[in-house]
Amino acid sequence: METREKLCRAALDAMNEVGYGRFATEDVAERAKVSRGALTHQFSSRNQLIIAAYDYLMTSWEHGWGQIARYPKRLEPVEVTDLLWNNLYRSPHYVASLEIMLAARNDDELGKGIRAIMVRWSAHRDRLIAQLLGTSASDKKTRQFVQMNLCVLRGIALNPNFSSETSSNVQGKLVEEWKRIVTSDFHFTTKP
Amino acid sequence: METREKLCRAALDAMNEVGYGRFATEDVAERAKVSRGALTHQFSSRNQLIIAAYDYLMTSWEHGWGQIARYPKRLEPVEVTDLLWNNLYRSPHYVASLEIMLAARNDDELGKGIRAIMVRWSAHRDRLIAQLLGTSASDKKTRQFVQMNLCVLRGIALNPNFSSETSSNVQGKLVEEWKRIVTSDFHFTTKP
DNA sequence: ACAAACAAACAGGGTTGTCTGTTTTTATGT
DNA sequence: ACATAAAAACAGACAACCCTGTTTGTTTGT
């Protein structure tokens, strides 16, 4: 594997495990089994590394979703919810993406880079979802549906970090509950 | 105001503005207009300061909710949703609480302190909500309703940091949408 | 006088960015 | 095919910086 890729993966792992606060380039180099010199050669600064790692993650999501969109089948709203949950929020590096976006909030330099990538990914995602639903990405109802799903699933994905619940599979039940709501509340298909 | 309180407030402000990553005790002392010596006298370590600030915030929430629970009126589910949104997720220091809890994920010492406070607050909150609904905090349906609301509103609260949307008041619309769903999907009141 | 609160200086650890030197790959001319 | 020059990639050392925790001394209140 290329050095850059190894470093991006290691950076995401580190971000997942230790969080932005304790994230250190030294640690990343070690995880990637690469010298610190190699890292500094590839990435001129810590922020550059983080931006590259984020870009790597978003690109991998884009590829994954590109495959999904090949299915010619038209999906029901609840199937889109399922897709989002299984292919985004259960991604092993979801927490990393969260840490990075939260950090980008305060750092202008980092924020600029991250935002550009996020805009690209968002557009890609929304276009694919609209395609799967058989609607347009600029359709108001579609946008609202997508926004709502992103919010709800994000909140559920974070639940383990915010809840004192210890019982198993709380997330699964919450997702099921939300899917039930989606099934009964959201409809896009034209009448037969 | 007492030094401890000034420091806790300043710590929450700092956590809000710069995030856990750039959070520094020096900065907190400056914001509180207090010498660093005073800070170290009150809090033996950085983690102790963070824990105290978190405790201060949770206690303030408990006081605020204590006032609300005095109203003898029984609330509809959607009114509880409204209450949660306006009294928790729109709290000026909500992001601070989020940063702290995310940081507590990796730091054992910090995590132990934060978790204890969170358990206390969660129990307090759930008990009050059940009281307002006229149900029991151990009631399964009630717990599910509360959990779901916390997740959804959390996701909505975070939306500005994760969305490329620039249009105004997206959050407001999402909350309205969720309230509509709550109104039609959740019922606790016994039939008349 | 005693203890708590405060003020400020200090040293130490850890992390980043830079710098210098070495190895490997690529390009080029014969 | 071979030699050689140039560029890219890598390795490691270094200094500078920031932040924390500690320590020592001063003020204030009881």
Side-chain angles (χ1 to χ4, degrees):
Chain A
M1 208 191 310
E2 287 182 16
T3 302
R4 274 184 85 91
E5 189 175 354
K6 280 197 287 188
L7 284 166
C8 285
R9 290 191 185 210
L12 293 172
D13 288 342
M15 199 63 87
N16 247 7
E17 286 178 32
V18 307
Y20 182 81
R22 302 182 184 281
F23 179 90
T25 57
E26 277 182 338
D27 180 36
V28 173
E30 270 187 35
R31 285 168 186 262
K33 284 164 191 165
V34 152
S35 76
R36 217 180 101 66
L39 188 151
T40 62
H41 176 71
Q42 297 286 344
F43 305 104
S44 58
S45 76
R46 180 188 135 114
N47 273 348
Q48 290 301 315
L49 168 62
I50 295 173
I51 292 172
Y54 186 74
D55 187 39
Y56 178 81
L57 182 58
M58 293 303 120
T59 302
S60 80
W61 285 359
E62 285 170 6
H63 284 165
W65 280 66
Q67 299 305 315
I68 291 164
R70 297 214 164 190
Y71 298 150
K73 186 170 171 285
R74 178 162 298 183
L75 297 187
E76 292 296 319
V78 69
E79 292 175 300
V80 171
T81 299
D82 213 57
L83 216 57
L84 280 165
W85 176 250
N86 287 311
N87 289 281
L88 279 189
Y89 294 97
R90 298 185 66 182
S91 157
H93 288 129
Y94 177 70
V95 181
S97 77
L98 198 148
E99 292 265 3
I100 293 172
M101 269 187 287
L102 228 38
R105 187 173 56 95
N106 326 293
D107 188 319
D108 282 345
E109 183 199 347
L110 187 61
K112 200 181 167 193
I114 296 299
R115 261 189 296 279
I117 297 165
M118 188 180 61
V119 168
R120 187 195 72 200
W121 152 247
S122 299
H124 190 89
R125 178 200 59 201
D126 292 350
R127 189 157 28 80
L128 285 177
I129 292 176
Q131 179 189 326
L132 290 166
L133 286 170
T135 66
S136 159
S138 58
D139 173 49
K140 195 178 168 189
K141 264 186 74 179
T142 302
R143 291 170 64 98
Q144 207 167 19
F145 170 74
V146 173
Q147 278 291 317
M148 196 69 190
N149 269 273
L150 294 174
C151 286
V152 174
L153 296 179
R154 179 189 305 136
I156 295 176
L158 285 169
N159 201 54
N161 299 307
F162 289 75
S163 167
S164 51
E165 285 282 344
T166 54
S167 68
S168 64
N169 202 24
V170 186
Q171 280 188 329
K173 286 174 188 163
L174 289 164
V175 172
E176 285 308 314
E177 170 103 1
W178 172 244
K179 280 164 70 176
R180 207 175 19 251
I181 293 170
V182 168
T183 304
S184 68
D185 269 40
F186 291 92
H187 302 283
F188 294 97
T189 52
T190 55
K191 288 158 198 155
Chain B
M1 207 190 312
E2 288 182 14
T3 303
R4 274 185 84 91
E5 188 174 354
K6 279 197 287 187
L7 284 166
C8 284
R9 290 191 185 210
L12 292 172
D13 288 341
M15 199 63 86
N16 247 6
E17 286 178 31
V18 307
Y20 182 81
R22 302 183 185 281
F23 179 90
T25 57
E26 278 181 338
D27 180 37
V28 173
E30 270 187 36
R31 285 168 186 264
K33 285 166 191 163
V34 153
S35 76
R36 218 178 100 67
L39 189 151
T40 62
H41 175 70
Q42 298 286 344
F43 305 104
S44 58
S45 76
R46 180 189 136 114
N47 273 348
Q48 290 301 316
L49 168 62
I50 295 173
I51 292 172
Y54 186 75
D55 188 38
Y56 178 81
L57 181 60
M58 293 303 120
T59 302
S60 80
W61 285 358
E62 285 169 8
H63 285 166
W65 280 65
Q67 299 304 317
I68 291 164
R70 296 212 163 191
Y71 298 152
K73 185 168 174 288
R74 178 162 298 182
L75 297 187
E76 292 297 319
V78 68
E79 292 175 300
V80 171
T81 300
D82 213 56
L83 215 58
L84 280 165
W85 177 250
N86 286 310
N87 290 280
L88 278 189
Y89 294 97
R90 297 184 69 181
S91 157
H93 288 130
Y94 176 71
V95 180
S97 77
L98 199 149
E99 292 265 3
I100 293 172
M101 269 186 287
L102 227 39
R105 188 172 56 95
N106 324 294
D107 189 319
D108 283 345
E109 182 198 347
L110 187 62
K112 199 181 167 192
I114 296 298
R115 259 189 298 278
I117 298 165
M118 187 179 62
V119 167
R120 187 195 72 200
W121 152 248
S122 299
H124 190 90
R125 178 199 60 200
D126 292 350
R127 189 158 27 81
L128 283 177
I129 292 175
Q131 180 190 323
L132 290 166
L133 286 170
T135 64
S136 159
S138 57
D139 173 48
K140 196 178 167 188
K141 263 185 74 178
T142 302
R143 291 170 65 98
Q144 207 167 18
F145 169 74
V146 173
Q147 278 291 318
M148 197 68 190
N149 269 273
L150 294 174
C151 285
V152 174
L153 296 179
R154 179 189 304 136
I156 295 176
L158 284 169
N159 201 53
N161 299 307
F162 289 75
S163 167
S164 52
E165 285 284 342
T166 55
S167 68
S168 64
N169 202 26
V170 186
Q171 281 188 327
K173 286 175 188 164
L174 289 164
V175 172
E176 285 308 313
E177 170 102 1
W178 172 242
K179 280 163 71 175
R180 198 174 50 73
I181 293 171
V182 168
T183 304
S184 68
D185 270 40
F186 291 92
H187 302 283
F188 294 98
T189 53
T190 55
K191 287 157 199 154

